Amino acid sequence: LQVHAMYSDDDGVSWSSPVDLTPQVKEPQWQAIFAASGTDIQTSSGRLLVPLVVRDEKGVLHSLNAYSDDHGKTWKHGAMIGEGTDESHNVELKNGVILQNMRDGKMREVARSYDGGVTFGPVSHDAALIDPGCNAGITRYGRGKTDVLLFTNAASTRRENLSVKVSYDSGLTWSMGRTIHAGPSAYSTGIELQDGSVAVLYEEGKTDSDERISFARFDLAWITQQP
């Protein structure tokens, strides 16, 4: 596959012609590459980070990031994060560390970067974040004195129970979570809106997990309230 980029400077009314970034972010020996779906971030330094999945020359999957320090004019790719990691998302923590949250089997894997998402330390499973092997969403919510992480995924061993969890300690621990859609569900992404509410875009259905894309909106307190 290839990686292309387009931009809009009129709030999505019109778009530029696509630019092929593949030569900048893919090594010739890699067998395949694609960009993970969902919301990407710009760090406090101005760096753009886009999670990619690559299949290396041996056919092994890896998560890594493409990054740009000139507002998307040129791009580079960072180091591979573990083996067998798949679609991922990242978030910048309070201290500037980049936390990468990755798909890898029945539990999410996490790793931290101290150089803006280029290289990462050890990869470990987060036992609090069960997963069916599916893309998920992670975002930082900051409003007033509140500064927390929000995580959305199909919190099950199957693609079902689309839920949202909150972390008050930069991803070290997570709340029990609140179910958004109990039935079949899959990919999701979340973001804080300008009015302070939380928005989640997610796949769901009655019999299959990807029958439609739905939109949920709620305040932060809703996550920790009892159903």
Side-chain angles (χ1 to χ4, degrees):
L1 299 178
Q2 298 178 330
V3 178
H4 291 74
M6 302 167 64
Y7 71 88
S8 173
D9 52 17
D10 56 10
D11 293 326
V13 176
S14 62
W15 291 85
S16 68
S17 299
V19 176
D20 186 4
L21 304 182
T22 313
Q24 299 181 57
V25 300
K26 180 182 180 294
E27 296 296 330
Q29 67 271 23
W30 293 349
Q31 296 179 7
I33 187 172
F34 71 93
S37 63
T39 307
D40 300 322
I41 69 169
Q42 183 176 32
T43 70
S44 56
S45 71
R47 171 172 288 176
L48 301 177
L49 282 180
V50 176
L52 303 178
V53 184
V54 302
R55 189 183 298 277
D56 67 17
E57 61 274 17
K58 297 179 181 179
V60 178
L61 287 179
H62 303 265
S63 302
L64 57 77
N65 292 316
Y67 64 96
S68 173
D69 292 320
D70 55 12
H71 302 285
K73 294 179 181 178
T74 60
W75 292 82
K76 298 179 181 178
H77 71 78
M80 295 179 179
I81 315 171
E83 291 190 357
T85 53
D86 201 317
E87 294 162 308
S88 69
H89 280 290
N90 48 45
V91 64
E92 184 177 23
L93 305 179
K94 303 173 187 178
N95 56 3
V97 171
I98 301 298
L99 173 64
Q100 199 89 8
N101 185 292
M102 297 164 282
R103 167 182 175 176
D104 181 23
K106 302 304 180 183
M107 236 178 270
R108 303 296 294 182
E109 286 213 277
V110 295
R112 286 170 170 79
S113 170
Y114 298 88
D115 60 5
V118 180
T119 64
F120 284 81
V123 178
S124 62
H125 281 101
D126 189 333
L129 302 179
I130 60 171
D131 192 74
C134 187
N135 202 6
I138 189 169
T139 190
R140 183 173 166 188
Y141 180 100
R143 196 168 186 85
K145 295 182 179 180
T146 302
D147 194 339
V148 299
L149 300 183
L150 302 178
F151 175 79
T152 59
N153 81 324
S156 174
T157 55
R158 299 186 298 176
R159 294 193 172 194
E160 62 184 8
N161 191 35
L162 201 287
S163 302
V164 55
K165 295 180 173 70
V166 59
S167 174
Y168 300 93
D169 54 12
S170 297
L172 297 178
T173 61
W174 293 92
S175 68
M176 291 297 293
R178 183 86 188 266
T179 297
I180 297 174
H181 178 79
S185 43
Y187 285 26
S188 62
T189 188
I191 198 168
E192 176 188 356
L193 300 180
Q194 289 183 349
D195 65 356
S197 60
V198 178
V200 178
L201 200 67
Y202 60 100
E203 294 178 317
E204 55 97 350
K206 292 183 178 180
T207 57
D208 295 312
S209 62
D210 57 357
E211 293 174 15
R212 65 186 67 85
I213 296 175
S214 294
F215 176 84
R217 183 172 179 165
F218 44 85
D219 60 24
L220 189 62
W222 180 87
I223 302 173
T224 54
Q225 292 171 356
Q226 293 298 316

